[in-house]
Amino acid sequence: PKDPNRRGRQRNHLSDLDTQATKQPTKQLSNQPSNQASNIRSIVTMAGGKVRAESFKPNASQYWALVAVFCLFGVVMGFFAGTQPMGSWRFFSWHPLLMTIGMITLPGIGAVTKKMGGYTNTKVHGIVSWLAIFVTGAGYYVIWKNKETNGSRHLTSPHAWAGMICMVSLVGLGMVGGIVLHPDYGLDKTNRTIRTAHKLGARLVLVIAWFTAVMGLYTLLPLDYLKLMTYAAPLVCLVPYSIM
């Protein structure tokens, strides 16, 4: 005898096959890895429906290469600036050298170290940043003593005022980092608002500090654009890897 439900079961079976055939290609496509998509995600992320570029995060070899570049810049360009415009070393020469190391080399290394992430790197970032503050303070003492010796007035140029603002700002950022955001005993170390303000404020101060360093060399060499570019060009190249 014929099964009255046989035809209905056949129709249901064919319908199930059609559904599987429709879904299968989509499933296979979704499971296929895409290197291009992965590369794009490493550069661009979606946040709140908006596209934003991620900041540079170095690997180990890139990190040490950047540290070497910052150290080389501090020593070579600091000495270069210190011997201008007469080409000889004098007491004043310690000011450009110490300020180049204190406002460019050490803060740059501190910023790159923080980009590596992690507990240890955060602590190293703080130590290097405070070392930068002390070196900058030594550089300020040199220019203060030099002006006192020569009977010159203090804070009479945009370069001098910008340098003072950077020094005060660096001390303020260091205190916030050491007291509020320290990974061990920070008073409010998990506060995202303070952490973001600290990060963005530090980046702004570094931009001003690097520009101030170029301004200082400009006061010594106002018309020597080749030497000015020799000092400034490496800083422009380092911005995407340290400040941004």
Side-chain angles (χ1 to χ4, degrees), residues 13-96:
H13 179 65
L14 291 173
S15 177
D16 292 340
L17 290 176
D18 290 340
T19 302
Q20 293 177 5
T22 303
K23 292 182 177 180
Q24 189 65 21
T26 303
K27 183 178 181 181
Q28 291 176 352
L29 287 173
S30 64
N31 290 334
Q32 290 178 353
S34 173
N35 292 331
Q36 183 178 4
S38 177
N39 291 335
I40 293 174
R41 283 194 299 272
S42 67
I43 301 174
V44 178
T45 58
M46 299 298 295
K50 297 181 179 180
V51 179
R52 65 176 180 86
E54 291 183 345
S55 61
F56 171 76
K57 183 176 182 179
N59 56 37
S61 59
Q62 291 171 333
Y63 170 78
W64 288 112
L66 287 169
V67 170
V69 170
F70 273 113
C71 290
L72 186 64
F73 182 92
V75 174
V76 175
M77 289 293 101
F79 181 83
F80 165 77
T83 56
Q84 304 303 319
M86 297 180 293
S88 60
W89 190 265
R90 55 206 187 277
F91 179 74
F92 167 81
S93 301
W94 287 102
H95 174 70

Side-chain angles (χ1 to χ4, degrees), residues 9 20 32 65 72 98 115-117 126 129 157 187 189 210 213:
R9 286 197 299 269
Q20 293 177 5
Q32 290 178 353
L72 186 64
L98 292 172
K115 284 178 177 289
M116 296 286 285
S129 298
S157 66
L187 298 178
K189 59 187 177 182
W210 291 14

Side-chain angles (χ1 to χ4, degrees), residues 76-139:
V76 175
M77 289 293 101
F79 181 83
F80 165 77
T83 56
Q84 304 303 319
M86 297 180 293
S88 60
W89 190 265
R90 55 206 187 277
F91 179 74
F92 167 81
S93 301
W94 287 102
H95 174 70
L97 175 61
L98 292 172
M99 286 302 193
T100 299
I101 295 174
M103 284 198 171
I104 297 176
T105 296
L106 293 174
I109 293 174
V112 173
T113 302
K114 180 58 180 175
K115 284 178 177 289
M116 296 286 285
Y119 171 80
T120 301
N121 289 324
T122 298
K123 295 188 73 172
V124 173
H125 158 77
I127 294 171
V128 173
S129 298
W130 271 101
L131 181 59
I133 292 172
F134 289 124
V135 173
T136 301

